[in-house]
PDB file of all heavy atoms in Angstrom:
ATOM      1  N   TYR A   1     -13.186  35.490  52.396  1.00 95.00           N
ATOM      2  CA  TYR A   1     -12.449  34.228  52.378  1.00 95.00           C
ATOM      3  C   TYR A   1     -13.387  33.021  52.367  1.00 95.00           C
ATOM      4  O   TYR A   1     -13.228  32.106  51.557  1.00 95.00           O
ATOM      5  CB  TYR A   1     -11.519  34.147  53.589  1.00 95.00           C
ATOM      6  CG  TYR A   1     -10.900  32.772  53.774  1.00 95.00           C
ATOM      7  CD1 TYR A   1      -9.773  32.393  53.048  1.00 95.00           C
ATOM      8  CD2 TYR A   1     -11.466  31.843  54.646  1.00 95.00           C
ATOM      9  CE1 TYR A   1      -9.215  31.131  53.192  1.00 95.00           C
ATOM     10  CE2 TYR A   1     -10.917  30.577  54.807  1.00 95.00           C
ATOM     11  CZ  TYR A   1      -9.793  30.221  54.077  1.00 95.00           C
ATOM     12  OH  TYR A   1      -9.254  28.967  54.213  1.00 95.00           O
ATOM     13  N   PHE A   2     -14.359  33.015  53.252  1.00 95.00           N
ATOM     14  CA  PHE A   2     -15.203  31.822  53.411  1.00 95.00           C
ATOM     15  C   PHE A   2     -16.126  31.616  52.206  1.00 95.00           C
ATOM     16  O   PHE A   2     -16.335  30.476  51.774  1.00 95.00           O
ATOM     17  CB  PHE A   2     -16.020  31.924  54.709  1.00 95.00           C
ATOM     18  CG  PHE A   2     -15.168  31.889  55.933  1.00 95.00           C
ATOM     19  CD1 PHE A   2     -14.896  33.052  56.645  1.00 95.00           C
ATOM     20  CD2 PHE A   2     -14.599  30.701  56.372  1.00 95.00           C
ATOM     21  CE1 PHE A   2     -14.090  33.027  57.778  1.00 95.00           C
ATOM     22  CE2 PHE A   2     -13.793  30.659  57.505  1.00 95.00           C
ATOM     23  CZ  PHE A   2     -13.531  31.834  58.206  1.00 95.00           C
ATOM     24  N   GLU A   3     -16.652  32.701  51.650  1.00 93.00           N
ATOM     25  CA  GLU A   3     -17.483  32.561  50.450  1.00 93.00           C
ATOM     26  C   GLU A   3     -16.643  32.104  49.269  1.00 93.00           C
ATOM     27  O   GLU A   3     -17.069  31.279  48.450  1.00 93.00           O
ATOM     28  CB  GLU A   3     -18.173  33.896  50.139  1.00 93.00           C
ATOM     29  CG  GLU A   3     -18.985  33.915  48.849  1.00 93.00           C
ATOM     30  CD  GLU A   3     -20.162  32.954  48.858  1.00 93.00           C
ATOM     31  OE1 GLU A   3     -20.506  32.400  49.921  1.00 93.00           O
ATOM     32  OE2 GLU A   3     -20.738  32.736  47.769  1.00 93.00           O
ATOM     33  N   THR A   4     -15.419  32.630  49.177  1.00 95.00           N
ATOM     34  CA  THR A   4     -14.518  32.208  48.105  1.00 95.00           C
ATOM     35  C   THR A   4     -14.148  30.734  48.254  1.00 95.00           C
ATOM     36  O   THR A   4     -14.135  29.978  47.269  1.00 95.00           O
ATOM     37  CB  THR A   4     -13.256  33.080  48.102  1.00 95.00           C
ATOM     38  OG1 THR A   4     -13.635  34.450  47.937  1.00 95.00           O
ATOM     39  CG2 THR A   4     -12.307  32.676  46.982  1.00 95.00           C
ATOM     40  N   LEU A   5     -13.865  30.315  49.476  1.00 95.00           N
ATOM     41  CA  LEU A   5     -13.539  28.916  49.734  1.00 95.00           C
ATOM     42  C   LEU A   5     -14.687  28.014  49.309  1.00 95.00           C
ATOM     43  O   LEU A   5     -14.482  26.961  48.683  1.00 95.00           O
ATOM     44  CB  LEU A   5     -13.221  28.715  51.219  1.00 95.00           C
ATOM     45  CG  LEU A   5     -12.831  27.302  51.652  1.00 95.00           C
ATOM     46  CD1 LEU A   5     -11.533  26.866  50.986  1.00 95.00           C
ATOM     47  CD2 LEU A   5     -12.706  27.234  53.179  1.00 95.00           C
ATOM     48  N   ARG A   6     -15.914  28.434  49.621  1.00 94.00           N
ATOM     49  CA  ARG A   6     -17.083  27.640  49.240  1.00 94.00           C
ATOM     50  C   ARG A   6     -17.188  27.525  47.727  1.00 94.00           C
ATOM     51  O   ARG A   6     -17.427  26.445  47.186  1.00 94.00           O
ATOM     52  CB  ARG A   6     -18.355  28.283  49.803  1.00 94.00           C
ATOM     53  CG  ARG A   6     -19.622  27.468  49.559  1.00 94.00           C
ATOM     54  CD  ARG A   6     -20.869  28.264  49.880  1.00 94.00           C
ATOM     55  NE  ARG A   6     -21.063  29.346  48.927  1.00 94.00           N
ATOM     56  CZ  ARG A   6     -21.540  29.172  47.697  1.00 94.00           C
ATOM     57  NH1 ARG A   6     -21.853  27.964  47.255  1.00 94.00           N
ATOM     58  NH2 ARG A   6     -21.693  30.206  46.896  1.00 94.00           N
ATOM     59  N   ARG A   7     -16.968  28.628  47.031  1.00 94.00           N
ATOM     60  CA  ARG A   7     -17.078  28.617  45.575  1.00 94.00           C
ATOM     61  C   ARG A   7     -15.973  27.770  44.928  1.00 94.00           C
ATOM     62  O   ARG A   7     -16.197  27.135  43.900  1.00 94.00           O
ATOM     63  CB  ARG A   7     -17.037  30.044  45.042  1.00 94.00           C
ATOM     64  CG  ARG A   7     -18.291  30.846  45.368  1.00 94.00           C
ATOM     65  CD  ARG A   7     -18.195  32.285  44.880  1.00 94.00           C
ATOM     66  NE  ARG A   7     -19.427  32.994  45.209  1.00 94.00           N
ATOM     67  CZ  ARG A   7     -20.515  33.018  44.452  1.00 94.00           C
ATOM     68  NH1 ARG A   7     -20.510  32.365  43.297  1.00 94.00           N
ATOM     69  NH2 ARG A   7     -21.604  33.658  44.825  1.00 94.00           N
ATOM     70  N   LEU A   8     -14.814  27.779  45.501  1.00 95.00           N
ATOM     71  CA  LEU A   8     -13.713  26.982  44.949  1.00 95.00           C
ATOM     72  C   LEU A   8     -13.940  25.486  45.103  1.00 95.00           C
ATOM     73  O   LEU A   8     -13.251  24.681  44.461  1.00 95.00           O
ATOM     74  CB  LEU A   8     -12.394  27.371  45.629  1.00 95.00           C
ATOM     75  CG  LEU A   8     -11.889  28.790  45.363  1.00 95.00           C
ATOM     76  CD1 LEU A   8     -10.677  29.100  46.248  1.00 95.00           C
ATOM     77  CD2 LEU A   8     -11.536  28.986  43.894  1.00 95.00           C
ATOM     78  N   ARG A   9     -14.916  25.110  45.954  1.00 94.00           N
ATOM     79  CA  ARG A   9     -15.170  23.693  46.222  1.00 94.00           C
ATOM     80  C   ARG A   9     -16.529  23.208  45.727  1.00 94.00           C
ATOM     81  O   ARG A   9     -16.940  22.093  46.035  1.00 94.00           O
ATOM     82  CB  ARG A   9     -15.102  23.443  47.731  1.00 94.00           C
ATOM     83  CG  ARG A   9     -13.683  23.523  48.307  1.00 94.00           C
ATOM     84  CD  ARG A   9     -13.734  23.454  49.817  1.00 94.00           C
ATOM     85  NE  ARG A   9     -12.443  23.154  50.407  1.00 94.00           N
ATOM     86  CZ  ARG A   9     -12.190  23.202  51.715  1.00 94.00           C
ATOM     87  NH1 ARG A   9     -13.149  23.545  52.566  1.00 94.00           N
ATOM     88  NH2 ARG A   9     -10.986  22.909  52.173  1.00 94.00           N
ATOM     89  N   VAL A  10     -17.259  24.029  44.989  1.00 93.00           N
ATOM     90  CA  VAL A  10     -18.602  23.651  44.554  1.00 93.00           C
ATOM     91  C   VAL A  10     -18.545  22.371  43.713  1.00 93.00           C
ATOM     92  O   VAL A  10     -17.758  22.274  42.759  1.00 93.00           O
ATOM     93  CB  VAL A  10     -19.254  24.792  43.753  1.00 93.00           C
ATOM     94  CG1 VAL A  10     -20.565  24.327  43.127  1.00 93.00           C
ATOM     95  CG2 VAL A  10     -19.489  26.004  44.643  1.00 93.00           C
ATOM     96  N   GLU A  11     -19.360  21.412  44.069  1.00 91.00           N
ATOM     97  CA  GLU A  11     -19.407  20.146  43.332  1.00 91.00           C
ATOM     98  C   GLU A  11     -20.163  20.307  42.018  1.00 91.00           C
ATOM     99  O   GLU A  11     -21.083  21.124  41.907  1.00 91.00           O
ATOM    100  CB  GLU A  11     -20.088  19.065  44.187  1.00 91.00           C
ATOM    101  CG  GLU A  11     -19.330  18.713  45.468  1.00 91.00           C
ATOM    102  CD  GLU A  11     -18.035  17.960  45.188  1.00 91.00           C
ATOM    103  OE1 GLU A  11     -17.924  17.360  44.100  1.00 91.00           O
ATOM    104  OE2 GLU A  11     -17.125  17.994  46.044  1.00 91.00           O
ATOM    105  N   ASP A  12     -19.782  19.500  41.034  1.00 86.00           N
ATOM    106  CA  ASP A  12     -20.467  19.445  39.740  1.00 86.00           C
ATOM    107  C   ASP A  12     -20.582  20.821  39.081  1.00 86.00           C
ATOM    108  O   ASP A  12     -21.591  21.158  38.471  1.00 86.00           O
ATOM    109  CB  ASP A  12     -21.868  18.829  39.907  1.00 86.00           C
ATOM    110  CG  ASP A  12     -21.803  17.419  40.471  1.00 86.00           C
ATOM    111  OD1 ASP A  12     -20.865  16.680  40.085  1.00 86.00           O
ATOM    112  OD2 ASP A  12     -22.662  17.070  41.299  1.00 86.00           O
ATOM    113  N   SER A  13     -19.557  21.645  39.252  1.00 87.00           N
ATOM    114  CA  SER A  13     -19.548  22.962  38.615  1.00 87.00           C
ATOM    115  C   SER A  13     -18.206  23.163  37.934  1.00 87.00           C
ATOM    116  O   SER A  13     -17.169  22.745  38.436  1.00 87.00           O
ATOM    117  CB  SER A  13     -19.772  24.071  39.654  1.00 87.00           C
ATOM    118  OG  SER A  13     -19.597  25.351  39.050  1.00 87.00           O
ATOM    119  N   ARG A  14     -18.239  23.801  36.781  1.00 85.00           N
ATOM    120  CA  ARG A  14     -17.013  24.122  36.063  1.00 85.00           C
ATOM    121  C   ARG A  14     -16.802  25.636  35.963  1.00 85.00           C
ATOM    122  O   ARG A  14     -15.839  26.084  35.350  1.00 85.00           O
ATOM    123  CB  ARG A  14     -17.078  23.538  34.640  1.00 85.00           C
ATOM    124  CG  ARG A  14     -17.288  22.046  34.564  1.00 85.00           C
ATOM    125  CD  ARG A  14     -16.172  21.273  35.238  1.00 85.00           C
ATOM    126  NE  ARG A  14     -14.850  21.616  34.760  1.00 85.00           N
ATOM    127  CZ  ARG A  14     -14.297  21.098  33.645  1.00 85.00           C
ATOM    128  NH1 ARG A  14     -14.959  20.210  32.918  1.00 85.00           N
ATOM    129  NH2 ARG A  14     -13.077  21.456  33.275  1.00 85.00           N
ATOM    130  N   PHE A  15     -17.699  26.440  36.608  1.00 86.00           N
ATOM    131  CA  PHE A  15     -17.612  27.902  36.463  1.00 86.00           C
ATOM    132  C   PHE A  15     -18.196  28.549  37.706  1.00 86.00           C
ATOM    133  O   PHE A  15     -19.380  28.390  38.008  1.00 86.00           O
ATOM    134  CB  PHE A  15     -18.375  28.348  35.221  1.00 86.00           C
ATOM    135  CG  PHE A  15     -18.242  29.818  34.905  1.00 86.00           C
ATOM    136  CD1 PHE A  15     -17.284  30.258  34.011  1.00 86.00           C
ATOM    137  CD2 PHE A  15     -19.077  30.746  35.500  1.00 86.00           C
ATOM    138  CE1 PHE A  15     -17.170  31.609  33.697  1.00 86.00           C
ATOM    139  CE2 PHE A  15     -18.973  32.091  35.205  1.00 86.00           C
ATOM    140  CZ  PHE A  15     -18.003  32.533  34.296  1.00 86.00           C
ATOM    141  N   GLN A  16     -17.394  29.293  38.437  1.00 90.00           N
ATOM    142  CA  GLN A  16     -17.849  30.041  39.604  1.00 90.00           C
ATOM    143  C   GLN A  16     -17.206  31.427  39.598  1.00 90.00           C
ATOM    144  O   GLN A  16     -15.999  31.570  39.393  1.00 90.00           O
ATOM    145  CB  GLN A  16     -17.465  29.315  40.899  1.00 90.00           C
ATOM    146  CG  GLN A  16     -18.290  28.082  41.203  1.00 90.00           C
ATOM    147  CD  GLN A  16     -19.719  28.427  41.588  1.00 90.00           C
ATOM    148  OE1 GLN A  16     -19.954  29.301  42.420  1.00 90.00           O
ATOM    149  NE2 GLN A  16     -20.670  27.737  40.971  1.00 90.00           N
ATOM    150  N   TYR A  17     -18.062  32.456  39.832  1.00 89.00           N
ATOM    151  CA  TYR A  17     -17.526  33.802  39.974  1.00 89.00           C
ATOM    152  C   TYR A  17     -16.736  33.910  41.272  1.00 89.00           C
ATOM    153  O   TYR A  17     -17.187  33.475  42.335  1.00 89.00           O
ATOM    154  CB  TYR A  17     -18.650  34.827  40.023  1.00 89.00           C
ATOM    155  CG  TYR A  17     -19.411  35.002  38.728  1.00 89.00           C
ATOM    156  CD1 TYR A  17     -20.705  34.499  38.595  1.00 89.00           C
ATOM    157  CD2 TYR A  17     -18.846  35.689  37.661  1.00 89.00           C
ATOM    158  CE1 TYR A  17     -21.413  34.671  37.412  1.00 89.00           C
ATOM    159  CE2 TYR A  17     -19.549  35.863  36.477  1.00 89.00           C
ATOM    160  CZ  TYR A  17     -20.822  35.349  36.364  1.00 89.00           C
ATOM    161  OH  TYR A  17     -21.520  35.521  35.194  1.00 89.00           O
ATOM    162  N   ILE A  18     -15.564  34.527  41.197  1.00 93.00           N
ATOM    163  CA  ILE A  18     -14.783  34.833  42.389  1.00 93.00           C
ATOM    164  C   ILE A  18     -14.812  36.328  42.671  1.00 93.00           C
ATOM    165  O   ILE A  18     -15.021  36.758  43.802  1.00 93.00           O
ATOM    166  CB  ILE A  18     -13.326  34.348  42.233  1.00 93.00           C
ATOM    167  CG1 ILE A  18     -13.311  32.833  42.008  1.00 93.00           C
ATOM    168  CG2 ILE A  18     -12.494  34.727  43.456  1.00 93.00           C
ATOM    169  CD1 ILE A  18     -13.934  32.025  43.135  1.00 93.00           C
ATOM    170  N   ALA A  19     -14.633  37.156  41.647  1.00 91.00           N
ATOM    171  CA  ALA A  19     -14.697  38.612  41.796  1.00 91.00           C
ATOM    172  C   ALA A  19     -15.202  39.216  40.500  1.00 91.00           C
ATOM    173  O   ALA A  19     -14.865  38.738  39.418  1.00 91.00           O
ATOM    174  CB  ALA A  19     -13.324  39.178  42.155  1.00 91.00           C
ATOM    175  N   ARG A  20     -16.006  40.257  40.627  1.00 86.00           N
ATOM    176  CA  ARG A  20     -16.574  40.926  39.465  1.00 86.00           C
ATOM    177  C   ARG A  20     -16.036  42.338  39.347  1.00 86.00           C
ATOM    178  O   ARG A  20     -15.690  42.980  40.330  1.00 86.00           O
ATOM    179  CB  ARG A  20     -18.110  40.994  39.577  1.00 86.00           C
ATOM    180  CG  ARG A  20     -18.827  39.649  39.620  1.00 86.00           C
ATOM    181  CD  ARG A  20     -18.789  38.917  38.297  1.00 86.00           C
ATOM    182  NE  ARG A  20     -19.208  39.709  37.159  1.00 86.00           N
ATOM    183  CZ  ARG A  20     -20.462  39.796  36.728  1.00 86.00           C
ATOM    184  NH1 ARG A  20     -21.424  39.133  37.349  1.00 86.00           N
ATOM    185  NH2 ARG A  20     -20.762  40.528  35.665  1.00 86.00           N
ATOM    186  N   GLN A  21     -16.002  42.828  38.111  1.00 85.00           N
ATOM    187  CA  GLN A  21     -15.638  44.208  37.792  1.00 85.00           C
ATOM    188  C   GLN A  21     -14.327  44.620  38.460  1.00 85.00           C
ATOM    189  O   GLN A  21     -14.232  45.610  39.177  1.00 85.00           O
ATOM    190  CB  GLN A  21     -16.764  45.158  38.192  1.00 85.00           C
ATOM    191  CG  GLN A  21     -18.022  44.962  37.353  1.00 85.00           C
ATOM    192  CD  GLN A  21     -18.944  46.152  37.386  1.00 85.00           C
ATOM    193  OE1 GLN A  21     -18.955  46.921  38.336  1.00 85.00           O
ATOM    194  NE2 GLN A  21     -19.727  46.317  36.336  1.00 85.00           N
ATOM    195  N   VAL A  22     -13.310  43.831  38.197  1.00 90.00           N
ATOM    196  CA  VAL A  22     -11.974  44.128  38.694  1.00 90.00           C
ATOM    197  C   VAL A  22     -11.216  44.858  37.584  1.00 90.00           C
ATOM    198  O   VAL A  22     -11.308  44.472  36.411  1.00 90.00           O
ATOM    199  CB  VAL A  22     -11.234  42.823  39.070  1.00 90.00           C
ATOM    200  CG1 VAL A  22      -9.853  43.127  39.641  1.00 90.00           C
ATOM    201  CG2 VAL A  22     -12.066  42.007  40.054  1.00 90.00           C
ATOM    202  N   PRO A  23     -10.454  45.912  37.904  1.00 88.00           N
ATOM    203  CA  PRO A  23      -9.640  46.543  36.866  1.00 88.00           C
ATOM    204  C   PRO A  23      -8.808  45.499  36.128  1.00 88.00           C
ATOM    205  O   PRO A  23      -8.223  44.603  36.752  1.00 88.00           O
ATOM    206  CB  PRO A  23      -8.763  47.515  37.656  1.00 88.00           C
ATOM    207  CG  PRO A  23      -9.601  47.872  38.850  1.00 88.00           C
ATOM    208  CD  PRO A  23     -10.336  46.610  39.197  1.00 88.00           C
ATOM    209  N   ALA A  24      -8.762  45.612  34.814  1.00 89.00           N
ATOM    210  CA  ALA A  24      -8.169  44.559  33.990  1.00 89.00           C
ATOM    211  C   ALA A  24      -6.743  44.217  34.394  1.00 89.00           C
ATOM    212  O   ALA A  24      -6.382  43.043  34.523  1.00 89.00           O
ATOM    213  CB  ALA A  24      -8.224  44.979  32.515  1.00 89.00           C
ATOM    214  N   SER A  25      -5.903  45.231  34.604  1.00 90.00           N
ATOM    215  CA  SER A  25      -4.500  44.965  34.934  1.00 90.00           C
ATOM    216  C   SER A  25      -4.361  44.230  36.262  1.00 90.00           C
ATOM    217  O   SER A  25      -3.529  43.328  36.408  1.00 90.00           O
ATOM    218  CB  SER A  25      -3.717  46.282  34.977  1.00 90.00           C
ATOM    219  OG  SER A  25      -4.271  47.159  35.937  1.00 90.00           O
ATOM    220  N   LYS A  26      -5.200  44.582  37.223  1.00 93.00           N
ATOM    221  CA  LYS A  26      -5.136  43.934  38.535  1.00 93.00           C
ATOM    222  C   LYS A  26      -5.568  42.483  38.443  1.00 93.00           C
ATOM    223  O   LYS A  26      -4.911  41.578  38.984  1.00 93.00           O
ATOM    224  CB  LYS A  26      -6.028  44.687  39.528  1.00 93.00           C
ATOM    225  CG  LYS A  26      -6.032  44.097  40.928  1.00 93.00           C
ATOM    226  CD  LYS A  26      -6.904  44.933  41.860  1.00 93.00           C
ATOM    227  CE  LYS A  26      -6.914  44.355  43.267  1.00 93.00           C
ATOM    228  NZ  LYS A  26      -7.743  45.174  44.181  1.00 93.00           N
ATOM    229  N   ALA A  27      -6.701  42.241  37.765  1.00 93.00           N
ATOM    230  CA  ALA A  27      -7.218  40.873  37.651  1.00 93.00           C
ATOM    231  C   ALA A  27      -6.217  39.967  36.939  1.00 93.00           C
ATOM    232  O   ALA A  27      -5.956  38.838  37.374  1.00 93.00           O
ATOM    233  CB  ALA A  27      -8.552  40.878  36.912  1.00 93.00           C
ATOM    234  N   GLU A  28      -5.667  40.461  35.845  1.00 93.00           N
ATOM    235  CA  GLU A  28      -4.749  39.634  35.067  1.00 93.00           C
ATOM    236  C   GLU A  28      -3.451  39.345  35.823  1.00 93.00           C
ATOM    237  O   GLU A  28      -2.882  38.266  35.709  1.00 93.00           O
ATOM    238  CB  GLU A  28      -4.467  40.325  33.732  1.00 93.00           C
ATOM    239  CG  GLU A  28      -5.685  40.275  32.803  1.00 93.00           C
ATOM    240  CD  GLU A  28      -5.593  41.243  31.642  1.00 93.00           C
ATOM    241  OE1 GLU A  28      -4.580  41.976  31.562  1.00 93.00           O
ATOM    242  OE2 GLU A  28      -6.540  41.269  30.823  1.00 93.00           O
ATOM    243  N   LYS A  29      -2.986  40.306  36.635  1.00 94.00           N
ATOM    244  CA  LYS A  29      -1.775  40.085  37.429  1.00 94.00           C
ATOM    245  C   LYS A  29      -2.013  39.030  38.500  1.00 94.00           C
ATOM    246  O   LYS A  29      -1.177  38.122  38.702  1.00 94.00           O
ATOM    247  CB  LYS A  29      -1.363  41.401  38.096  1.00 94.00           C
ATOM    248  CG  LYS A  29      -0.100  41.297  38.966  1.00 94.00           C
ATOM    249  CD  LYS A  29       1.126  41.058  38.106  1.00 94.00           C
ATOM    250  CE  LYS A  29       2.420  41.275  38.888  1.00 94.00           C
ATOM    251  NZ  LYS A  29       2.664  40.274  39.908  1.00 94.00           N
ATOM    252  N   VAL A  30      -3.155  39.100  39.185  1.00 95.00           N
ATOM    253  CA  VAL A  30      -3.468  38.123  40.237  1.00 95.00           C
ATOM    254  C   VAL A  30      -3.553  36.720  39.634  1.00 95.00           C
ATOM    255  O   VAL A  30      -2.972  35.763  40.161  1.00 95.00           O
ATOM    256  CB  VAL A  30      -4.780  38.487  40.955  1.00 95.00           C
ATOM    257  CG1 VAL A  30      -5.224  37.351  41.874  1.00 95.00           C
ATOM    258  CG2 VAL A  30      -4.605  39.775  41.759  1.00 95.00           C
ATOM    259  N   VAL A  31      -4.274  36.583  38.534  1.00 95.00           N
ATOM    260  CA  VAL A  31      -4.437  35.261  37.915  1.00 95.00           C
ATOM    261  C   VAL A  31      -3.105  34.737  37.394  1.00 95.00           C
ATOM    262  O   VAL A  31      -2.782  33.546  37.552  1.00 95.00           O
ATOM    263  CB  VAL A  31      -5.495  35.319  36.798  1.00 95.00           C
ATOM    264  CG1 VAL A  31      -5.508  34.017  36.003  1.00 95.00           C
ATOM    265  CG2 VAL A  31      -6.877  35.582  37.390  1.00 95.00           C
ATOM    266  N   ALA A  32      -2.305  35.601  36.804  1.00 94.00           N
ATOM    267  CA  ALA A  32      -0.999  35.166  36.307  1.00 94.00           C
ATOM    268  C   ALA A  32      -0.107  34.666  37.440  1.00 94.00           C
ATOM    269  O   ALA A  32       0.584  33.649  37.304  1.00 94.00           O
ATOM    270  CB  ALA A  32      -0.320  36.316  35.562  1.00 94.00           C
ATOM    271  N   ASP A  33      -0.149  35.367  38.566  1.00 95.00           N
ATOM    272  CA  ASP A  33       0.652  34.947  39.721  1.00 95.00           C
ATOM    273  C   ASP A  33       0.186  33.598  40.262  1.00 95.00           C
ATOM    274  O   ASP A  33       1.006  32.746  40.626  1.00 95.00           O
ATOM    275  CB  ASP A  33       0.581  36.006  40.818  1.00 95.00           C
ATOM    276  CG  ASP A  33       1.337  37.282  40.452  1.00 95.00           C
ATOM    277  OD1 ASP A  33       2.065  37.259  39.444  1.00 95.00           O
ATOM    278  OD2 ASP A  33       1.165  38.290  41.163  1.00 95.00           O
TER     279      ASP A  33
END
């Protein structure tokens, strides 16, 4: 949670990794929701 919170607030950035190598169906469902 805390690392994700930090990444969601990074200044002067337009791209931050949140999770890597997630099964495609799972990742797309989370983002769609």
Side-chain angles (χ1 to χ4, degrees):
Y1 170 82
F2 294 103
E3 176 63 11
T4 302
L5 181 64
R6 185 191 69 77
R7 290 177 179 273
L8 294 172
R9 289 172 164 171
V10 172
E11 296 290 338
D12 300 322
S13 173
R14 302 299 306 277
F15 185 95
Q16 286 290 312
Y17 291 107
I18 300 300
R20 298 290 309 270
Q21 293 200 334
V22 182
S25 59
K26 180 178 180 179
E28 288 165 359
K29 180 69 167 69
V30 170
V31 171
D33 289 350

